[in-house]
Amino acid sequence: MNEIAQDLNREILQVNPHVYELLSELGKKLYYPKGILTQSAEAKQKAHRFNATIGIAMEQNQPMFLPLIQKTLTNHDPKDLYPYAPPAGKPELRQLWREKMIIDNPSLTGKSFSNPIVTNALTHGLSIVADLFINENDSLVLPDKIWGNYNFIFGIRSGAKNVTFPFYTEEGGFNTLGMKEALLSKKEHGKAILLLNFPNNPTGYTPNEQEATGIIEALIDVAEQGMNLVVVTDDAYFGLFYENSIKESLFARIANIHPRVLAIKVDGATKEDYVWGFRVGFITYASEHPAVINALEKKTLGIIRGTISSASHPSQTFVLNALQSPDFQTQKQEKFEVLKNRALKVKQILEKEKYRDAWDYYPFNSGYFMCLKLKGVQAEDLRNHLLDQYGVGIISLGESDVRVAFSCVEEQEIEQLFDLIYQGFKELSA
Ligand SMILES: Cc1ncc(COP(=O)(O)O)c(C=O)c1O
């Protein structure tokens, strides 16, 4: 194994052997080389006469560019677009995202956690978790209602075995007991990766205060029983909390609760800032030990260097400029209100008596989506029927559930949408 990797592993082992045990074989091998990038970083500081280190082209003291491209981006300085961004991301962006995280998540105040590392949006952040922590046949514990791509990221790519538990209790709250039992069912394995996603895709549910406290207690209890846990919060829809849920990431509460629990936050601008195609996300590690934070950062940079090398520079600049803008909060609030009003409208419409024989709906209070549980009609049949007969698109999930993205439908059209779904349902159930 490479010497730098061995050093990083030793540093982790010295202060927290549980984190070392959580690493995958690949995770143990990863390190960040003292290669071209380190030498160029040094040259950037010191090479005042000629900096002939890095693989970009320069002209008149700025990056070379084609005028026809720059013409479409005149608001931006070429230096913020064309050169490679550092593998960890633009430092100013990382710093601002960290500050935003603390403001948005008061429980983080005073806690020790890494600087966010820029990823090619959330999917990439999740795949870094898979690379660093999942060996073939490791257990990935997650609810039965999830974003389908987890199966590719963790299952197909890394060989994780899903251990699922029902998302809701009978009463319609988050099933903390189910989560705990699923974790403990793998106690003999000694390790599990728990994946939590709130606001949830597809249900649109985020736990309330009491449930959040229950989740923390359950995790501490599982750790006390000797299990090592990586707890990943996928905060893709962060901030879109419309009702009585907690309004911060569970990462903030899970961070450093127990030496056996490693909390990792995967988040980004994709959904919360409405820039899906920009591909700007972050991965953040919590640990009380600077040595662990440093080693995990270096290993993350190693896998970034070995996969995408670095994330898009223009996209990082666009997001950075947005975060710095005095209009950012106001404009975000406006969009939040639009989505909140749609969610509340959906709830209001679902109260209609006539829908009772067609479906129940799963509790929702946040995010982009909500799910219906159909009574006696196959979800896939309804989906096809609505597409063919009415030009209405929804997502079928399993036998009886359909997901409706109210994020994509204007408030004044929501009633018509549900009436069409109902009409389609009636035709199939007749
Ligand atoms: C829960 C969840 N996590 C992650 C992602 C992926 O986000 P990104 O587009 O930033 O990779 C999505 C996208 O649909 C999602 O729903």
Side-chain angles (χ1 to χ4, degrees):
M1 192 182 294
N2 177 280
E3 263 180 39
I4 307 176
Q6 289 183 41
D7 285 347
L8 294 175
N9 294 343
R10 248 191 311 274
E11 283 167 26
I12 298 178
L13 256 172
Q14 267 167 17
V15 292
N16 188 330
H18 308 303
V19 172
Y20 177 76
E21 288 157 16
L22 281 166
L23 287 169
S24 67
E25 290 312 310
L26 173 59
K28 289 186 177 123
K29 280 187 224 152
L30 284 168
Y31 63 96
Y32 191 62
K34 292 193 172 77
I36 290 176
L37 292 192
T38 314
Q39 295 177 33
S40 309
E42 258 176 59
K44 201 171 175 192
Q45 306 274 327
K46 296 187 191 160
H48 300 299
R49 286 187 76 182
F50 302 111
N51 181 359
T53 58
I54 199 152
I56 72 164
M58 302 282 291
E59 195 174 34
Q60 290 160 4
N61 262 335
Q62 58 175 351
M64 196 175 273
F65 57 82
L66 302 184
L68 67 93
I69 294 180
Q70 184 60 24
K71 202 167 70 183
T72 64
L73 295 161
T74 45
N75 282 345
H76 300 282
D77 190 324
K79 77 171 175 25
D80 294 321
L81 298 170
Y82 302 109
Y84 292 118
K90 274 176 93 73
E92 313 91 300
L93 176 63
R94 299 179 64 199
Q95 185 57 32
L96 264 188
W97 197 262
R98 191 178 207 280
E99 287 166 17
K100 174 179 133 28
M101 250 160 72
I102 296 172
I103 293 168
D104 290 347
N105 300 279
S107 301
L108 273 180
T109 312
K111 288 198 175 170
S112 163
F113 62 100
S114 75
N115 253 354
I117 297 167
V118 174
T119 62
N120 191 46
L122 283 92
T123 307
H124 177 221
L126 294 166
S127 83
I128 291 172
V129 174
D131 285 340
L132 260 65
F133 298 100
I134 293 184
N135 283 325
E136 185 90 21
N137 293 326
D138 276 350
S139 305
L140 178 70
V141 176
L142 69 189
D144 59 358
K145 301 195 187 321
I146 52 164
W147 182 44
N149 205 14
Y150 293 154
N151 291 328
F152 269 103
I153 301 170
F154 296 98
I156 308 266
R157 267 185 83 247
S158 296
K161 291 278 171 286
N162 283 3
V163 180
T164 55
F165 61 93
F167 186 100
Y168 290 105
T169 59
E170 292 275 308
E171 296 75 38
F174 181 72
N175 182 12
T176 308
L177 189 58
M179 177 195 83
K180 185 173 169 184
E181 282 169 359
L183 288 169
L184 288 176
S185 75
K186 293 293 155 190
K187 195 169 147 188
E188 259 143 55
H189 194 65
K191 156 187 182 180
I193 291 84
L194 172 67
L195 184 45
L196 296 173
N197 161 232
F198 304 119
N200 178 256
N201 176 5
T203 62
Y205 190 77
T206 300
N208 60 29
E209 274 299 331
Q210 206 186 345
E211 289 167 340
T213 308
I215 291 171
I216 306 299
E217 285 168 3
L219 294 181
I220 294 175
D221 203 6
V222 171
E224 287 287 313
Q225 296 193 41
M227 261 188 106
N228 294 337
L229 301 177
V230 173
V231 183
V232 189
T233 56
D234 172 344
D235 293 336
Y237 301 89
F238 182 79
L240 298 169
F241 304 115
Y242 311 130
E243 293 185 64
N244 58 345
S245 68
I246 55 163
K247 301 208 165 38
E248 63 175 354
S249 167
L250 272 179
F251 170 81
R253 301 186 185 194
I254 297 168
N256 310 340
I257 50 169
H258 193 282
R260 288 188 187 273
V261 177
L262 175 65
I264 306 179
K265 186 177 194 337
V266 173
D267 61 7
T270 306
K271 318 268 181 182
E272 52 171 297
D273 297 329
Y274 315 102
V275 290
W276 307 273
F278 282 18
R279 316 309 296 149
V280 177
F282 303 87
I283 183 166
T284 309
Y285 300 99
S287 171
E288 281 172 343
H289 303 288
V292 170
I293 288 177
N294 173 59
L296 293 179
E297 279 191 7
K298 292 281 157 44
K299 285 173 182 290
T300 301
L301 293 194
I303 195 72
I304 288 177
R305 188 69 178 134
T307 48
I308 62 163
S309 195
S310 61
S312 156
H313 194 163
S315 291
Q316 292 184 53
T317 293
F318 301 155
V319 173
L320 173 62
N321 287 355
L323 292 174
Q324 288 169 330
S325 165
D327 299 328
F328 181 64
Q329 288 306 344
T330 326
Q331 293 191 7
K332 259 192 89 161
Q333 187 63 28
E334 279 169 19
K335 301 303 176 200
F336 171 85
E337 296 295 337
V338 170
L339 291 181
K340 178 178 176 176
N341 288 338
R342 289 182 192 173
L344 297 180
K345 183 77 181 178
V346 171
K347 278 219 165 140
Q348 183 202 332
I349 285 168
L350 286 172
E351 287 307 307
K352 281 191 192 176
E353 194 58 40
K354 69 169 179 180
Y355 292 155
R356 299 264 150 90
D357 60 347
W359 57 62
D360 291 323
Y361 68 88
Y362 292 98
F364 65 100
N365 52 21
S366 54
Y368 280 23
F369 313 108
M370 59 81 53
C371 286
L372 301 174
K373 186 173 183 55
L374 305 174
K375 296 180 179 170
V377 163
Q378 292 286 312
E380 181 62 6
D381 292 348
L382 179 62
R383 185 185 75 83
N384 283 318
H385 184 67
L386 288 172
L387 267 184
D388 294 342
Q389 297 301 315
Y390 299 106
V392 169
I394 55 172
I395 299 286
S396 72
L397 300 166
E399 298 263 298
S400 64
D401 295 349
V402 295
R403 188 191 77 176
V404 180
F406 54 78
S407 54
C408 298
V409 183
E410 298 287 348
E411 188 183 336
Q412 66 274 17
E413 288 170 344
I414 285 174
E415 183 154 16
Q416 203 190 347
L417 168 66
F418 279 91
D419 276 340
L420 285 171
I421 299 176
Y422 181 69
Q423 199 167 321
F425 175 93
K426 278 286 174 205
E427 284 157 6
L428 290 183
S429 64

